[in-house]
Amino acid sequence: MNIAISALIVFFAHHSFTAEYDSSKLMQFTGTVTRVEWTNPHARFYLDVKDAQGNVTSWNFELGSPIVLRKLGWNRDSLKIGEQVGVEGFLAKDGAKMANARKVTLADGRNVFAGSSADGSPTK
Amino acid sequence: MRSLIVAFLMLIATAAFAQNNTGTITGSVLETGGGPVGGVAIEAKNVETGAIFKANSAQSGSYTLSQLPAGRYELTATSFGFKRFERKDVVVQAGQTQRIDLPIGDFVTLQTLGEDRVSIGRVFSSRPKPPEGPAPRTPEGKPDLSGVWNGPGPGGGGDNGPDLLPWAQALQKEHMDNNEKDSPQAHCLPFNVTSFNFFLNRLVQTRDVLIAIIEYDLPGYRQIYLDGRGHPKNLEPSWTGHSVGTWDGDTLVIDTVGFNDKTWFGDSAPHTDKLHITTRLRRSDLGHLEIENTFDDPGALKKPWKTKSVATLAPSTEEVAEFICNENNQDAEHLVGK
């Protein structure tokens, strides 16, 4: 086991992904951004998601630390309140209305908070 | 004209000769789920000659190492966030192409944006090349380690982790079985026993003290006394211990003791309050800082564990960001573990 590298990953990750999220429950969400928290250890944003019956549920999405997101060129204004977005993420294991965000897509098709320039991230 | 034709024929002959004596390895790099992995560094090392041939996998995961002189090779594939793939005794035969797919497994599932492999990989790959020149010196003639340093990136280190005593191994397994839900960092407690982390590290060296200001670390600073003092008697155990530094030629040797037993080595291995870290820092030139750590803990390790890495000088305009971990740690109550 390579502790040097696994240490690296955990230091980046704050917590083990599998301790909180269920990698078998990948979900797609579409909704309106209601809040962005540019905070540690994770930036977060909240979406109002409407179901087929018209019921609105607030979902809480986890991103990486602002420290890393900033190095990639993102900031607290990269996602705006009121914006319609699509999100792909894994659900929390404990049933809370929480998910990690592995893909965030704006109405114009651009992906925000991504690390790859191919996904439309800004160049620093 | 005639000499041109002769030259042309010789070129064809050379190409044919090369073809006849070389072979090709081709295949795909695949993650555990079978998906392709691009950007993986693949190396074939000729066992007899030591010659190294390199390729990178494409976005489709495919790679090709061609023009390999016939012989026996060691094949390796490394990429951030994955376990290193290694296969020995790959025999390349002249004129033949063989297909070898390279399965490389994840260390952990890195998914969340900003913590995913692509993001972290980009943070490291976009770092500027460090400046060249001699290492600066202090007025007293000692090497000056001051500067903003980019912590060591992924890669290197080999496969040798700490060799744990049985009780520590058992506890490590328990931590891993619980997906490290009780790790100090997940609960916003200090988690790094060294005075360096992987992002920015600002070192400020005076005659009497070396101060490290560390990004993405708790508490985010260390003090290493250079004024000749020793460790206090009856030292109270603490999260980051007590550090004193002395010069061995141009190498600063930092001795750290007095740790509590609440942090972990890496992601899961425990240590005791007998942990003793010897750090050797050597600024080999203006842009490079060699870091060697020896972790000794007779309470948890069978033998001392050594790591080596190199930090590179970042542009002086870089600023270490604050990390107030507890401002919004919503995870703690949702870490269910299994």
Side-chain angles (χ1 to χ4, degrees), chain A residues 6-29:
Chain A
S6 56
L8 177 86
I9 288 163
V10 166
F11 285 7
F12 289 145
H14 173 244
H15 62 82
S16 155
F17 176 88
T18 44
E20 187 167 356
Y21 298 107
D22 187 340
S23 60
S24 69
K25 289 185 180 159
L26 181 62
M27 293 277 288
Q28 314 286 334
F29 303 82

Side-chain angles (χ1 to χ4, degrees), chain B residues 182-203:
Chain B
D182 299 319
S183 76
Q185 65 266 38
H187 297 272
C188 286
L189 290 167
F191 49 87
N192 173 15
V193 291
T194 73
S195 40
F196 240 80
N197 208 349
F198 305 97
F199 297 133
L200 291 174
N201 304 269
R202 178 182 289 279
L203 295 184

